[in-house]
Amino acid sequence: MFLLVLIPLGLLRIKSMFYHAYNSYLDNAFPYDELRPLTCDGQDTWGSFSLTLIDALDTLLVLGNHTEFKRVASLLQDTVDFDIDVNASVFETNIRVVGGLLSAHLLAGRAGMELEPGWPCSGPLLRMAEDAARKLLPAFQTPTGMPYGTVNLLHGVSPTETPVTCTAGVGTFILEFATLSRLTGDTIFENVARRALRALWKTRSDIGLVGNHIDIVSKKWVAQDAGIGAGVDSYFEYLVKGAIMLQDEELLNMFIEYDRAIQNYTRFDDWYLWVQMHKGTVSMPVFQSLEAFWPGLQSLLGNLDSAVRTFQNYYSVWRQFGGLPEFYSIPQGYTVDKREGYPLRPELIESAMYLFRATGDHIYLQLGLDALESIEKIAKTPCGYASVKDLRDHQLDNRMESFFLAETIKYLYLLFDPTHFLHGGGTEGDGSWEEGGEGGQCVLGAGGFIFNTEAHPLDPAALYCCSRHAQDRQDLRDILLSLSQPTQKSDHQSAPPAKETEGPPPGQSESIALKPGEKKTPPLLSCPVQPFSARLSILGQVFSDNT
């Protein structure tokens, strides 16, 4: 009975919160990047491309507003131009703009948009995402392959640009860039993201930790504090989620090694402190609000006991202040000077969503209610919701960051809607999945969506659909040709046997066809994405229904 009453009421209140913030942005701030909720106007912050609208686009679809989703998708195509003389954050543009457009493209079919033939391998929103990502590529043209932090969208990297960037700014591209490469067939995006990840991996300390800021040219660590919070967080997140989305053991093994060092050197009583990356000695005994994603990430790996205990620590801070301060001193049990603010971040709500899915424990719904009550009471203004400047006295700041609509509200909604299609919910025939690809031969949206660090959901089945369909057909042709070769003779002699190979080149998927007697090695990770083109198997040879 508790759930039956709580869930519908929660969903209604979250929708009301979203539309108060969203309509305030449209009425007072569009086409600027962000709303200023205290003065009821707008400002550009990350690049001057209506960032809040791009970031909020897939949230409209999540909340079921197909009409507004289609209107805004069309509006963005007509109004957004990335060929502008603006210095933009490479990291933020990737996770918010590229990620937001990719997600909207992959969800367009559910909104009833008219789709191009071959979707999801083509489409206007995909082309917009590709245009934005190409503007970021000059940042990766460095001796190490690690990118600069800022790029001018018109002129490229400034000659005076600093080579120092944060760890997350190097290691948070594989989800969006691999998605782009797999959908479009252009490998450059995935290649530069992988090169950056591998370069960063080689810089870890002797005890297996990475610092906070690095010189991307010299590979020297400028800030040597190691932890899981600000400046580092999404690097670890992308190793795990990239491993799941791409079925990539290399990324998973990187994270497993990091996690071993993190547990050994930074974890104390289910808190995670900051330590010196070479010595492992504590440098900052603080909890940062950005670290609250960690229990959710642990749940993806099945580390539920540890995740639950750490979540309880973080939730205790929320109950103390009605939000998470940016920094919290663990020894003192209070906020850190000049870090008392709460900019309506989503990370603890994100972890609650994952843990509720994993455990069914109502305590995570209680956190959702607490978040609703706190944000409504503390942050609501006549023109939206304002960042909390100081949780001690509830002073407000004149800013509503785009992630409030993209992440905080979306994760709240998904927390209270456990049967949402993004969770893989629903039953056969209710529209929880759809056709895609050439001739409708791919099944999309059947579950297993991966959220980027801005909460933009990506469908692994779409990557498979676009990158494997052509390869599958070529594999089948090769099989049929090799089967026919022993019976085909030239005028003088038999055809020579086909040359055996030692396996697929690095970075390429192995063939779906197996030699007689050969066994398929099960993947280290599982995700509900299947080779839907496979219909029939005879003696280890795989055929499709149109062969």
Side-chain angles (χ1 to χ4, degrees):
M1 182 61 67
F2 175 74
L3 279 175
L4 291 177
V5 175
L6 184 61
I7 287 178
L9 290 176
L11 292 176
L12 286 174
R13 292 182 64 186
I14 296 161
K15 280 188 175 182
S16 176
M17 177 184 287
F18 173 82
Y19 286 112
H20 177 62
Y22 178 77
N23 290 331
S24 294
Y25 168 78
L26 288 181
D27 293 341
N28 300 288
F30 178 78
Y32 290 104
D33 279 342
E34 289 181 3
L35 169 70
R36 297 204 303 170
L38 300 184
T39 51
C40 297
D41 55 11
Q43 64 179 346
D44 282 333
T45 52
W46 294 111
S48 187
F49 24 61
S50 304
L51 180 62
T52 293
L53 207 55
I54 295 176
D55 233 359
L57 182 53
D58 58 14
T59 308
L60 288 166
L61 191 281
V62 170
L63 269 57
N65 193 338
H66 297 178
T67 301
E68 181 68 359
F69 177 93
K70 289 187 284 187
R71 185 190 77 83
V72 172
S74 177
L75 176 66
L76 291 173
Q77 293 171 48
D78 295 336
T79 59
V80 174
D81 181 12
F82 298 115
D83 197 26
I84 51 177
D85 187 5
V86 167
N87 294 323
S89 163
V90 179
F91 170 84
E92 299 289 354
T93 303
N94 176 57
I95 66 169
R96 303 193 197 206
V97 177
V98 178
L101 291 170
L102 283 173
S103 177
H105 162 73
L106 292 172
L107 296 173
R110 294 179 177 274
M113 288 184 66
E114 185 177 347
L115 303 175
E116 292 184 2
W119 174 90
C121 313
S122 64
L125 294 174
L126 175 60
R127 287 189 287 274
M128 285 184 68
E130 184 178 3
D131 289 344
R134 287 199 185 280
K135 293 293 185 180
L136 306 181
L137 289 179
F140 291 83
Q141 295 173 5
T142 66
T144 62
M146 293 188 283
Y148 285 99
T150 303
V151 66
N152 185 284
L153 299 182
L154 190 62
H155 303 296
V157 178
S158 168
T160 60
E161 176 65 24
T162 175
V164 177
T165 189
C166 66
T167 306
V170 174
T172 309
F173 295 91
I174 191 64
L175 289 183
E176 298 84 3
F177 276 31
T179 297
L180 263 179
S181 285
R182 306 282 175 108
L183 295 183
T184 66
D186 190 338
T187 60
I188 187 171
F189 301 106
E190 184 171 346
N191 288 345
V192 299
R194 285 189 180 277
R195 186 182 177 216
L197 281 175
R198 288 166 178 158
L200 189 55
W201 170 249
K202 293 177 181 177
T203 64
R204 66 195 188 283
S205 69
D206 290 340
I207 60 174
L209 296 172
V210 288
N212 196 271
H213 281 74
I214 190 170
D215 186 313
I216 54 100
V217 175
S218 68
K219 297 187 288 187
K220 292 182 179 179
W221 286 100
V222 177
Q224 298 186 5
D225 296 305
I228 61 171
V232 185
D233 49 356
S234 54
Y235 171 43
F236 297 137
E237 179 186 2
Y238 271 40
L239 290 178
V240 173
K241 292 182 175 179
I244 296 171
M245 187 174 79
L246 304 174
Q247 295 291 282
D248 193 301
E249 293 187 26
E250 178 187 12
L251 301 181
L252 180 63
N253 289 333
M254 286 180 180
F255 178 80
I256 289 173
E257 282 209 34
Y258 279 133
D259 190 44
R260 188 177 296 115
I262 288 167
Q263 301 301 326
N264 284 341
Y265 293 101
T266 76
R267 181 179 173 184
F268 297 87
D269 293 331
D270 298 304
W271 294 95
Y272 292 84
L273 311 183
W274 290 81
V275 302
Q276 210 284 337
M277 65 176 289
H278 297 288
K279 302 175 184 177
T281 52
V282 175
S283 58
M284 292 189 296
V286 299
F287 157 61
Q288 299 179 352
S289 62
L290 283 170
E291 298 171 13
F293 82 102
W294 189 258
L297 192 70
Q298 286 181 304
S299 77
L300 289 177
L301 294 162
N303 301 328
L304 278 180
D305 289 343
S306 175
V308 167
R309 292 193 299 269
T310 297
F311 181 91
Q312 290 289 2
N313 283 343
Y314 298 169
Y315 189 15
S316 69
V317 179
W318 181 288
R319 289 195 299 264
Q320 183 178 351
F321 294 99
L324 289 185
E326 292 288 72
F327 283 29
Y328 176 83
S329 171
I330 297 169
Q332 296 176 351
Y334 208 65
T335 60
V336 174
D337 187 39
K338 299 181 180 179
R339 294 291 189 273
E340 305 94 349
Y342 169 55
L344 310 183
R345 292 198 187 277
E347 283 76 16
L348 190 65
I349 302 166
E350 173 188 0
S351 284
M353 181 199 75
Y354 281 114
L355 288 170
F356 181 56
R357 293 285 299 163
T359 68
D361 192 328
H362 293 178
I363 191 174
Y364 304 108
L365 293 178
Q366 186 61 54
L367 177 277
L369 283 179
D370 289 350
L372 271 172
E373 296 289 347
S374 292
I375 294 170
E376 287 285 344
K377 182 178 180 179
I378 299 173
K380 189 173 183 178
T381 74
C383 290
Y385 294 85
S387 297
V388 181
K389 186 176 183 179
D390 193 328
L391 277 170
R392 298 171 301 176
D393 56 14
H394 299 164
Q395 291 182 57
L396 298 180
D397 214 351
N398 195 18
R399 189 173 184 187
M400 186 181 82
E401 291 219 43
S402 68
F403 59 66
F404 178 65
L405 294 177
E407 296 186 78
T408 307
I409 289 179
K410 185 185 295 161
Y411 282 132
L412 266 176
Y413 191 85
L414 292 173
L415 169 62
F416 282 93
D417 188 0
T419 63
H420 198 280
F421 75 85
L422 285 176
H423 297 312
T427 57
E428 184 177 356
D430 71 351
S432 60
W433 57 271
E434 56 190 331
E435 293 182 350
E438 184 180 335
Q441 294 185 13
C442 298
V443 175
L444 305 176
F449 285 87
I450 304 297
F451 292 89
N452 87 335
T453 198
E454 191 76 3
H456 295 306
L458 303 171
D459 185 1
L463 279 64
Y464 171 84
C465 176
C466 297
S467 65
R468 285 302 309 229
H469 182 65
Q471 183 63 45
D472 286 351
R473 295 183 66 172
Q474 183 60 50
D475 288 341
L476 293 167
R477 290 193 193 99
D478 293 344
I479 294 165
L480 294 175
L481 181 61
S482 65
L483 289 174
S484 65
Q485 281 180 347
T487 61
Q488 294 177 349
K489 297 183 179 181
S490 66
D491 293 338
H492 303 287
Q493 59 182 11
S494 299
K499 182 179 180 181
E500 294 186 359
T501 61
E502 295 181 355
Q508 293 187 13
S509 299
E510 62 181 330
S511 169
I512 60 171
L514 301 177
K515 298 181 178 67
E518 185 180 358
K519 292 185 178 181
K520 179 78 171 181
T521 302
L524 195 58
L525 291 157
S526 61
C527 195
V529 181
Q530 301 174 16
F532 299 111
S533 60
R535 298 287 189 268
L536 182 64
S537 175
I538 301 175
L539 296 177
Q541 304 299 333
V542 181
F543 299 88
S544 68
D545 49 3
N546 62 351
T547 300

